[in-house]
Amino acid sequence: MFDYLITGAGFAGCVLAERIATQLDKRVLIVEKRNHIGGNAYDYYDENGILIHKYGPHIFHTNARRLWDYIGNFTRWEMYQHNVAASIEGKEIPLPFNLNSISKLFPQRFAEKLEDLLIGQYGYGAKIPILTLQNQTSGDLKFLADFIYKNVFYGYTAKQWGVEPDQIDASVTARVPVFVSRDNRYFQDEWQGIPSGGYTRMFERMINHRNIQILLNADYRSVLELIPFNKIIYTGPIDAYFDYMHGELPYRSLRFELETAEAEYVLPCGTVNYPNDYALTRRTEFKRLTGQKHAKTTIAAEYPEPYRRGENEPYYPIPQPKNAELYRKYELEAEKIAGSTHFVGRLANYRYYNMDQVIAKALTVFEKDICGK
Ligand code: FAD
Ligand code: UDP
């Protein structure tokens, strides 16, 4: 008899399993349909011995000390600050778009003028979503806003989401604001890093407990009648849980192409984005993230594609008002069974969560809904 049946062994499922097992001394069964733990943060060593993030590059970053400390119970860290370049007009410029990007793109006198205007209007250190910068109605800042939108955001967003960029919620491009600064780091969070030895090792330590059992290669539905349990924690797609009774929630998927080169490094930094050229959006060199030393190197190219249920993975909920409305219908269904079933995670809450946000959500569900604090 298990106290909890947890569907999914990603961050949401593993954090909750760990809390329930260690803090409540209750028994947990995690059922995972893939052949591994870690969810989309899973990593593995390929045939050359290079550490690969199977479902795309993952950099841990957070401003919440308690989340950093919590995850630090299960791993040591490779200190890593992510750098991204965007390939624009044959040049590689730093992202988020910042004062250094301006210097690289424009003649010196004009670049200095743009910098002065930006600092004068917004202040050094300001972060301005591109759609806010576009509120400029005239002058050089209007030119700059249009230039950035056209060259950095338009093509990338259209490729990534498969729709015209104005159809996507403004919060999406606001994840990468224009930064009035000379700080080239992609994230400015206080705590950033990559688990030493990889995410998978970290997850193994997290769920290594006598109260936790894990069943891989199994859909949770296949065990519902076979294994007795008290409550469910569900971290898969919420529409699937309810048999798509209100219709399918849209997701965006990706195809990853891996390429290994006989060179120590190939890219100038962790990731290069291609907003305007090619069908891919970005290429990432894993060794730059993980700090691994190796004579060869592996690069992942990301090709966005439509989600086709049963064929590829539902990587991204699509932030659009009509999808939020549809999700709300499922959320109401979830509320009806809240006493016996908890929905937690990027797919179960249909939110564009980063890893730290999923951990925060799982800890809150544990404290409020499970412990009743
Ligand atoms: P998941 O990791 O998706 O885990 C859910 C699990 O449930 C899956 O393993 C799935 O197989 C399983 N499951 C689903 N249905 C069933 C079922 N019926 N039966 C059994 N098992 C089931 N975040 C960052 O903070 N930094 C990054 O750099 C970053 N990079 C990313 C890059 C990409 C390409 C993507 C797609 C995401 C990235 N993220 C990043 C986000 C991060 O992956 C998520 O926030 C996090 O992994 C979500 O954890 P989760 O537990 O909610 O879901
Ligand atoms: N974005 C863009 N150009 C870039 C990088 C990002 O237009 O070069 C926009 C795009 O809409 C993307 C969003 O910003 O979907 C968020 O980017 P982020 O790097 O956070 O995406 P993720 O890593 O989650 O795929």
Side-chain angles (χ1 to χ4, degrees):
M1 177 77 183
F2 290 94
D3 297 293
Y4 285 88
L5 179 127
I6 299 186
T7 298
F11 267 103
C14 289
V15 166
L16 277 159
E18 187 278 332
R19 288 287 87 185
I20 291 165
T22 63
Q23 305 302 300
L24 304 179
D25 196 20
K26 290 192 169 167
R27 295 193 64 217
V28 176
L29 174 66
I30 307 177
V31 184
E32 167 57 59
K33 68 178 179 186
R34 291 173 174 166
N35 63 0
H36 58 74
I37 61 171
N40 286 346
Y42 168 74
D43 54 16
Y44 67 98
Y45 288 89
D46 71 3
E47 64 279 11
N48 293 305
I50 298 174
L51 186 57
I52 307 293
H53 296 179
K54 177 165 184 180
Y55 304 98
H58 278 69
I59 301 108
F60 191 84
H61 56 100
T62 187
N63 280 317
R65 173 92 209 220
R66 77 173 186 125
L67 302 179
W68 178 253
D69 287 347
Y70 171 71
I71 292 300
N73 289 323
F74 314 107
T75 187
R76 296 161 75 92
W77 295 101
E78 293 298 319
M79 291 306 166
Y80 173 71
Q81 306 269 344
H82 195 38
N83 277 284
V84 177
S87 171
I88 288 170
E89 295 183 345
K91 294 181 182 152
E92 281 171 355
I93 59 139
L95 272 193
F97 197 96
N98 64 44
L99 301 181
N100 295 328
S101 321
I102 292 179
S103 308
K104 277 213 156 185
L105 280 165
F106 301 111
Q108 191 184 348
R109 293 273 301 274
F110 186 48
E112 284 169 6
K113 186 176 179 200
L114 290 171
E115 288 179 20
D116 289 346
L117 285 169
L118 273 177
I119 294 168
Q121 175 137 359
Y122 298 100
Y124 191 87
K127 291 184 173 174
I128 318 152
I130 182 61
L131 298 179
T132 306
L133 192 64
Q134 282 200 305
N135 291 337
Q136 296 287 336
T137 51
S138 64
D140 290 335
L141 284 185
K142 162 84 176 141
F143 162 81
L144 181 67
D146 289 347
F147 179 92
I148 299 172
Y149 183 75
K150 176 168 168 274
N151 288 287
V152 178
F153 287 95
Y154 181 83
Y156 190 107
T157 305
K159 276 193 273 189
Q160 172 70 13
W161 299 99
V163 294
E164 277 299 302
D166 61 7
Q167 302 296 302
I168 286 288
D169 200 279
S171 61
V172 171
T173 49
R175 286 167 62 92
V176 191
V178 174
F179 192 16
V180 187
S181 159
R182 293 208 177 274
D183 182 348
N184 283 347
R185 295 172 306 155
Y186 201 60
F187 308 111
Q188 282 83 44
D189 300 46
E190 206 163 333
W191 289 282
Q192 309 189 33
I194 306 273
S196 300
Y199 286 92
T200 304
R201 294 280 168 285
M202 181 201 79
F203 282 108
E204 283 168 0
R205 286 188 209 107
M206 194 183 276
I207 61 172
N208 177 17
H209 192 276
R210 64 186 154 76
N211 284 343
I212 302 176
Q213 286 193 38
I214 172 116
L215 183 62
L216 296 177
N217 300 305
D219 194 296
Y220 82 103
R221 286 176 187 244
S222 67
V223 306
L224 286 178
E225 306 297 325
L226 301 175
I227 298 176
F229 61 88
N230 238 326
K231 293 189 177 187
I232 290 188
I233 293 170
Y234 180 82
T235 76
I238 191 166
D239 54 346
Y241 186 90
F242 291 107
D243 290 322
Y244 311 98
M245 63 192 290
H246 297 300
E248 291 192 33
L249 279 164
Y251 302 91
R252 191 74 174 151
S253 193
L254 295 170
R255 177 169 57 82
F256 298 100
E257 272 186 17
L258 297 181
E259 183 196 323
T260 299
E262 303 278 340
E264 202 177 355
Y265 293 105
V266 169
L267 300 184
C269 56
T271 297
V272 177
N273 287 6
Y274 299 88
N276 308 306
D277 309 314
Y278 318 117
L280 56 83
T281 48
R282 59 187 176 191
R283 295 168 78 217
T284 297
E285 183 157 26
F286 291 112
K287 276 169 52 190
R288 293 221 180 256
L289 276 54
T290 58
Q292 191 182 2
K293 303 283 173 235
H294 200 291
K296 297 183 186 178
T297 189
T298 300
I299 314 285
E302 294 177 43
Y303 293 84
E305 58 181 28
Y307 171 56
R308 295 177 296 273
R309 179 146 62 97
E311 287 176 40
N312 56 10
E313 298 289 333
Y315 287 121
Y316 294 85
I318 305 183
Q320 288 177 314
K322 65 176 168 51
N323 303 342
E325 258 172 54
L326 180 53
Y327 166 68
R328 180 68 191 137
K329 291 186 185 166
Y330 284 111
E331 195 178 34
L332 290 173
E333 300 298 335
E335 280 166 18
K336 290 182 202 160
I337 54 170
S340 63
T341 313
H342 303 287
F343 291 82
V344 191
R346 178 147 151 153
L347 298 168
N349 302 130
Y350 201 69
R351 292 259 189 330
Y352 192 173
Y353 280 148
N354 293 328
M355 292 182 277
D356 65 326
Q357 294 170 304
V358 173
I359 298 163
K361 175 74 182 174
L363 293 177
T364 302
V365 167
F366 177 71
E367 283 151 19
K368 291 219 169 95
D369 302 341
I370 294 178
C371 299
K373 283 188 196 153

